[in-house]
Amino acid sequence: SMPAIMPSPGGGMTMEKVRAMGDVYGDDVLLLIGGSLIGHSPDLVTNARFFLDVAGRRDLYGPLEVTHHPVLSPDLAPASSSSAEARELVTLRRQYAAMETKLEQLTAMVMSNSGGSQSSVAAEAESGAGTTLPPGAHAPLTPVDGNYSKVFHRAPDATDGGWAWARIPQEMYKQDGGSFKGCSRYELLGKRGESTVFQVRYFEVAPGGWTTLEHHRHEHAVVGVRGTGEIQLGPHVYPLAPGDVAYTAPGDTHQLRHAGGGDGAGEPFGFICVVATDRDRPVEVDPKEFVDQCGARHALQYNMRAALEGQAAH
């Protein structure tokens, strides 16, 4: 009952491994190779031909693509096949065409539900040219995706003080790891086609929760907007309330925590974080080792050791 899937190995792939990957996965596999393809030689065309050769491909295009692309030379044309094979190929092409049609219909439906493209927004605005909208009439929704000017409003049901945005889903703080507790995030700007060199995210930490203790080479800025929390910057801890701003310099070990106890009571701690789009991956820091190192060199602030040692036990 499970749908069919295609394996797609990637990360650290080299062209020298292609034949071995073919032996493991067979022909129905998508190989993601980037750096090795570029670094094979200065000639990218030669590199691509070498990639095709080691992958065992004799054609530049697969059987379902020949209707969309010209065959470049006679030796790349599909070999003659039996009538049964020809009929099967015709069937596959029809299925592919039907799938493309359904994809176009689905794309149109999604665009209409999300506010449409910039051109559709402009067309809607121009449809009433020369008139004045009645009081209370709103401008059309801005697009969600793409490099267009856009506005995202707080969700209509966020009247109890909660923070959520219409048309933007809540996401996990991170996809894996036990280095955090009670955290979630919203990717507000910078990951949906905007041309910004930064990303704007909203994070929320539940009572008794904390983000990962970590350091990295990039910097980021934090603005408190909801509840109360605290930020660990190196060996020191600073309180954060709505309107407070914090800056984390490159290389500084840091963490954000809810300022309340771990009983789950109280309002979540929410903050806006602005960070560069092009950045390195954070390096996790062991809380127990960190607090021991800080304690050997500094007077620790009240409750800092208990907080970090509690995380180590978690």
Side-chain angles (χ1 to χ4, degrees):
S1 61
M2 295 292 291
I5 63 173
M6 176 178 287
S8 179
M13 295 282 293
T14 64
M15 289 201 283
E16 290 74 20
K17 297 179 181 178
V18 168
R19 288 194 174 94
M21 286 291 177
D23 294 338
V24 173
Y25 293 103
D27 294 333
D28 294 329
V29 60
L30 180 64
L31 300 175
L32 301 181
I33 297 182
S36 178
L37 178 69
I38 296 173
H40 183 69
S41 80
D43 189 338
L44 288 179
V45 174
T46 299
N47 298 353
R49 293 188 182 279
F50 177 76
F51 185 16
L52 286 171
D53 182 62
V54 296
R57 288 286 295 269
R58 299 290 300 167
D59 57 325
L60 291 183
Y61 301 103
L64 299 182
E65 296 173 293
V66 293
T67 58
H68 300 281
H69 303 284
V71 177
L72 299 184
S73 63
D75 61 16
L76 296 176
S80 60
S81 58
S82 66
S83 59
E85 292 174 337
R87 287 195 298 271
E88 182 179 3
L89 183 58
V90 170
T91 301
L92 288 173
R93 287 174 177 169
R94 288 174 178 170
Q95 292 174 345
Y96 182 73
M99 183 178 66
E100 283 190 326
T101 300
K102 291 181 179 178
L103 181 59
E104 291 175 356
Q105 294 172 347
L106 178 61
T107 301
M109 180 179 67
V110 171
M111 290 300 295
S112 64
N113 291 338
S114 64
S117 64
Q118 185 73 3
S119 59
S120 67
V121 172
E124 184 174 348
E126 292 170 359
S127 63
T131 64
T132 300
L133 296 174
H138 298 290
L141 290 174
T142 59
V144 174
D145 299 303
N147 192 25
Y148 307 115
S149 298
K150 56 189 68 172
V151 174
F152 298 115
H153 295 285
R154 293 270 300 279
D157 57 352
T159 56
D160 59 348
W163 284 70
W165 284 263
R167 304 186 292 154
I168 297 181
Q170 185 184 48
E171 302 179 31
M172 295 176 60
Y173 168 63
K174 292 182 178 178
Q175 296 300 319
D176 53 16
S179 61
F180 56 90
K181 178 183 176 184
C183 302
S184 62
R185 65 186 170 99
Y186 287 88
E187 295 286 350
L188 301 179
L189 297 171
K191 291 192 71 174
R192 293 183 175 84
E194 300 90 353
S195 60
T196 58
V197 296
F198 57 85
Q199 294 176 358
V200 180
R201 299 92 52 83
Y202 171 76
F203 291 90
E204 199 163 89
V205 183
W210 60 82
T211 66
T212 302
L213 184 69
E214 62 189 20
H215 63 78
H216 39 66
R217 294 193 300 273
H218 62 271
E219 61 281 295
H220 58 58
V222 167
V223 183
V225 295
R226 181 188 185 194
T228 57
E230 58 188 24
I231 183 169
Q232 182 87 44
L233 291 177
H236 306 297
V237 181
Y238 302 91
L240 284 179
D244 291 342
V245 178
Y247 168 74
T248 301
D252 280 354
T253 298
H254 59 279
Q255 179 184 64
L256 288 115
R257 301 188 285 265
H258 193 279
D263 56 3
E267 183 180 18
F269 168 49
F271 58 91
I272 298 289
C273 179
V274 182
V275 68
T277 300
D278 186 11
R279 58 187 185 273
D280 60 302
R281 292 182 63 86
V283 177
E284 292 186 12
V285 176
D286 182 89
K288 182 64 169 64
E289 293 181 1
F290 176 73
V291 74
D292 288 343
Q293 293 172 0
C294 291
R297 302 176 183 176
H298 305 273
L300 299 183
Q301 289 167 264
Y302 179 75
N303 205 38
M304 172 179 160
R305 179 178 291 278
L308 292 173
E309 288 183 347
Q311 295 173 27
H314 173 76

